[in-house]
């Protein structure tokens, strides 16, 4: 009896051990099944032993964690950026790479916010920069712009070949690329109400016009009084004074603000500046152009003036995106793209302003990003066709490989919004004929001086001649320091 009880006890212990073993195997199998196998089971014939081997869990790898790149830009997401991000996320989903867009306002406060985040760490991976080379230099010196040069070389992307020397060389810093321009936008082409031109019997100046022709047209296009008045010209001076007056310096030889390659003196008292500034002041005094004082006092903007049918012509071609937005800004007239006027017939060789490269929208990578390689992969994707949705918002891709008909179709897809002939003309002008860029670290201060003196002339505090002479004297003194 004692031996029988001992045997039963041993049997129970053995059963318990087997149960524990089976439970351990079951848990191991469950843990393995959560991770996909990188090796497929064999489907070839074989012995029962071979078949049994194929049912065992294969070696596994932990799936890659999705990387989400943070992209900041100054354009509303509905003007193409949301679609751009959706396209990227779909295309790169299998690679575990995604992108999120954040819009910042492209003004002083917005750029301060961007810079604060860039200096703070890796909350931003990629960002769009505006405002020309001066702002880029400041960010590069502060360690907020990644040196793309080696990456571009190793991936066979030559910016000069792909984007044009005149577009990228001016943005180089010590021969290196800390940013790449992505869009083409010639600020010396303006926007006009094609219907008003037709009603006034004025032919669209698609191949150039002089100051005299421009003034005559604006006077014909101006009519009405008070709240019902329609101006021939809306000068977008408060928001974009430099862009709105850029047509003047483009008539001066290649040295920009400077008299020669030494860049030790400025030409801000040049007759070209004086003629252009005088023409603008005359437009205020004669009532066919919106005055600087009036724009400030009445809060005139592109949308409540030009898009509202209160002006026949407007500066600031970057507002093409607003023209495309017929939901927010409904209207019943067609918009044409036309060149700014030149001083007289002797300047008509430059009627199309093709010596202005017009490259902008600098794409940059934050060197503090934890995903610089992935960010650069996005940069090349963006430039080489990825930014296509932005064409619908009026941002013309700079890349030479981009199909111009795609841009044309995007801008003119909705009948009656853009004049197709004018878009074709604008798209046909040279994009890589820009003159050599002469800049110094004093450029931003010189622009500020010029702006202050122009404002003095606009408000009638100084004559045009005195404002230009004072601008030169102040800027030249600055260069001596």
């Amino acid at each position: 009896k004692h031996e029988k009880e001992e045997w039963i006890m041993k049997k129970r212990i053995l059963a318990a051990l087997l149960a524990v073993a089976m439970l351990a195997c079951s848990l191991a199998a469950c843990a393995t099944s959560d991770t996909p196998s990188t090796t497929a089971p064999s489907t070839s014939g074989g012995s029962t032993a071979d078949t049994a081997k194929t049912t065992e869990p294969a070696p596994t790898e932990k799936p890659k964690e999705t990387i989400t790149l943070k992209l900041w830009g100054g354009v509303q997401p509905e003007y193409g950026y949301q679609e751009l991000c959706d396209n990227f996320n779909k295309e790169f989903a299998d690679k575990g790479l995604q992108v999120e867009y954040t819009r910042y306002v492209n003004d002083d406060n917005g750029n301060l916010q961007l810079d604060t985040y860039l200096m703070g760490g890796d909350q931003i991976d990629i960002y769009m920069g505006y405002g020309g080379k001066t702002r880029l230099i400041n960010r590069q010196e502060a360690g907020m712009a990644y040196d793309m040069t080696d990456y571009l070389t190793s991936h066979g992307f030559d910016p000069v070949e792909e984007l044009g020397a005149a577009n990228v060389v001016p943005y180089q810093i010590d021969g290196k690329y800390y940013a790449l321009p992505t869009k083409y936008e010639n600020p010396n082409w303006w926007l006009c109400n094609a219907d008003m031109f037709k009603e006034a019997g004025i032919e669209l100046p698609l191949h150039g016009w002089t100051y005299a022709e421009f003034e005559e047209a604006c006077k014909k296009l101006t009519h009405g009084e008070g709240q019902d008045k329609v101006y021939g010209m809306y000068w977008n001076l408060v928001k974009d004074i430099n862009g709105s007056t850029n047509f003047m310096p483009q008539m001066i030889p290649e040295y920009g603000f400077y008299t020669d390659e030494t860049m030790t003196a400025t030409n801000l008292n040049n007759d070209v500046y004086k003629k252009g500034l005088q023409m603008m002041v005359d437009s205020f005094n004669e009532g066919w152009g919106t005055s600087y004082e009036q724009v400030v006092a009445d809060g005139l903007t592109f949308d409540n003036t030009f898009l509202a049918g209160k002006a026949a012509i407007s500066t600031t071609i970057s507002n093409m995106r607003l023209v495309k937005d017929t939901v927010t800004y409904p209207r019943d007239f067609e918009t044409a793209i036309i060149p700014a006027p030149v001083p007289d017939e002797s300047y008509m060789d430059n009627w199309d302003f093709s010596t202005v490269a017009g490259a902008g929208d600098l794409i940059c990578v934050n060197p503090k990003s934890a995903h610089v390689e992935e960010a650069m992969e996005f940069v090349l994707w963006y430039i080489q066709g990825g930014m296509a949705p932005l064409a619908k918002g009026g941002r013309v891709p700079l890349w030479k490989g981009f199909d111009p008909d795609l841009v044309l179709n995007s801008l003119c897809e909705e009948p009656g919004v853009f004049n197709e002939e004018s878009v074709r003309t604008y798209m046909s002008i040279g994009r890589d004929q820009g003159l050599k860029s002469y800049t110094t670290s004093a450029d931003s201060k010189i622009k500020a001086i010029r702006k202050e003196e122009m404002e003095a002339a606009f408000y009638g505090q100084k004559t045009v001649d005195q404002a230009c002479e004072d601008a030169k004297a102040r800027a030249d003194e600055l260069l001596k320091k």
Side-chain angles (χ1 to χ4, degrees):
K1 182 178 178 181
H2 178 74
E3 290 179 356
K4 185 177 180 180
E5 290 177 352
E6 186 177 353
W7 178 81
I8 292 173
M9 183 61 69
K10 288 181 178 179
K11 187 175 180 180
R12 288 176 178 173
I13 292 173
L14 180 60
L17 291 173
L18 287 172
V20 172
M22 289 176 67
L23 179 60
C25 288
S26 176
L27 291 173
C30 290
T32 304
S33 65
D34 286 340
T35 305
S37 171
T38 58
T39 306
S42 172
T43 56
S44 61
S47 66
T48 303
D50 291 335
T51 304
K53 289 180 181 178
T54 63
T55 62
E56 294 178 3
T60 60
E61 286 184 5
K62 186 177 180 180
K64 291 183 178 179
E65 186 177 326
T66 298
I67 294 173
T68 301
L69 300 172
K70 308 294 184 181
L71 167 66
W72 278 42
V75 177
Q76 296 93 319
E78 60 267 28
Y79 292 142
Y81 270 100
Q82 188 56 59
E83 183 180 346
L84 179 154
C85 290
D86 291 342
N87 291 345
F88 180 85
N89 292 341
K90 182 178 180 180
E91 185 175 337
F92 284 78
D94 291 342
K95 294 184 178 181
L97 197 56
Q98 301 285 274
V99 65
E100 288 181 358
Y101 181 70
T102 297
R103 190 236 174 164
Y104 73 94
V105 180
N106 181 29
D107 58 14
D108 290 341
N109 289 332
N111 279 285
L112 177 60
Q113 179 191 26
L114 173 63
D115 291 344
T116 301
Y117 272 84
L118 288 171
M119 289 186 292
D122 62 352
Q123 299 96 327
I124 299 172
D125 299 291
I126 310 145
Y127 63 95
M128 306 305 300
Y130 315 94
K133 189 174 182 179
T134 301
R135 186 166 281 155
L136 171 63
I137 291 175
N138 292 338
R139 285 175 174 152
Q140 183 269 332
E141 291 178 346
M144 296 187 286
Y146 171 70
D147 182 357
M148 303 178 174
T149 312
D150 291 342
Y151 183 95
L152 296 174
T153 301
S154 65
H155 286 74
F157 186 87
D158 183 352
V160 170
E161 180 63 30
E162 302 285 352
L163 303 173
N167 298 313
V168 297
V169 172
Y171 289 114
Q172 289 180 341
I173 299 177
D174 296 328
K176 295 184 177 182
Y177 297 104
Y178 292 89
L180 290 176
T182 60
K183 76 165 183 179
Y184 173 75
E185 185 177 274
N186 194 317
N188 301 299
W189 282 67
W190 297 344
L191 301 169
C192 80
N193 186 319
D195 290 16
M196 287 187 182
F197 270 67
K198 186 176 181 179
E199 291 167 5
I202 303 170
E203 186 176 349
L204 291 176
L206 299 184
H207 293 90
W209 52 346
T210 64
Y211 283 178
E213 292 169 328
F214 166 67
E215 289 180 41
E216 182 182 357
C218 285
K219 290 174 183 177
K220 288 182 180 179
L221 292 163
T222 300
H223 58 85
E225 297 292 337
Q227 295 296 319
D228 297 324
K229 183 170 183 177
V230 174
Y231 292 88
M233 185 68 195
Y234 167 65
W235 300 103
N236 195 12
L237 296 173
V238 175
K239 185 176 181 180
D240 187 28
I241 188 171
N242 285 315
S244 295
T245 59
N246 196 52
F247 65 96
M248 296 182 229
Q250 298 311 318
M251 294 296 107
I252 305 174
E254 64 181 312
Y255 305 113
F257 289 133
Y258 307 101
T259 55
D260 55 37
E261 65 276 7
T262 64
M263 295 178 284
T264 55
T266 63
N267 57 17
L268 298 183
N269 64 343
N270 189 292
D271 282 346
V272 169
Y273 280 107
K274 292 180 179 180
K275 288 179 180 178
L277 192 55
Q278 188 63 60
M279 182 261 288
M280 294 182 70
V281 171
D282 289 345
S283 79
F284 306 159
N285 296 334
E286 295 171 12
W288 53 265
T290 54
S291 71
Y292 193 79
E293 185 175 11
Q294 183 181 12
V295 171
V296 174
D298 296 343
L300 301 185
T301 62
F302 178 81
D303 48 295
N304 69 24
T305 305
F306 178 77
L307 293 181
K310 297 292 186 180
I313 308 171
S314 175
T315 57
T316 318
I317 195 172
S318 60
N319 283 324
M320 283 199 295
R321 70 184 189 278
L322 302 185
V323 176
K324 279 284 294 181
D325 188 354
T326 56
V327 175
T328 307
Y329 309 104
R331 58 196 177 280
D332 58 1
F333 64 84
E334 185 178 70
T335 298
I337 307 173
I338 59 174
V342 298
D344 54 53
E345 290 290 341
S346 66
Y347 290 90
M348 281 298 287
D349 286 345
N350 193 30
W351 71 268
D352 62 356
F353 294 89
S354 59
T355 51
V356 180
D361 278 18
L362 300 178
I363 192 165
C364 310
V365 169
N366 180 8
K368 297 178 182 178
S369 167
H371 309 291
V372 169
E373 288 283 325
E374 291 81 3
M376 284 302 302
E377 186 173 2
F378 174 86
V379 166
L380 291 186
W381 175 88
Y382 181 102
I383 291 173
Q384 296 176 296
M387 66 177 291
L390 303 185
K392 297 178 182 179
R395 307 188 98 75
V396 178
L398 184 63
W399 183 50
K400 291 183 177 180
F402 203 90
D403 184 358
D405 286 338
L406 182 59
V407 177
L408 178 69
N409 294 337
S410 293
L411 288 176
C412 302
E413 61 183 350
E414 187 179 345
V417 176
F418 273 106
N419 177 276
E420 187 170 329
E421 183 183 3
S422 73
V423 175
R424 286 188 183 279
T425 304
Y426 175 67
M427 291 294 295
S428 68
I429 65 175
R431 297 194 197 181
D432 192 26
Q433 302 178 40
L435 297 172
K436 185 175 180 181
S437 176
Y438 286 88
T439 61
T440 73
S441 58
D443 276 11
S444 60
K445 294 180 180 179
I446 292 175
K447 285 183 180 179
I449 289 172
R450 178 173 174 256
K451 178 177 180 289
E452 289 171 6
E453 295 299 336
M454 284 194 296
E455 287 176 338
F458 292 156
Y459 278 117
Q461 298 166 345
K462 293 183 180 181
T463 64
V464 166
D465 187 75
Q466 188 62 55
C468 291
E469 293 296 337
D470 289 350
K472 175 178 171 56
R474 291 176 61 192
D476 286 3
E477 184 63 28
L478 179 70
L479 291 173
K480 295 177 181 178
K481 296 178 180 179

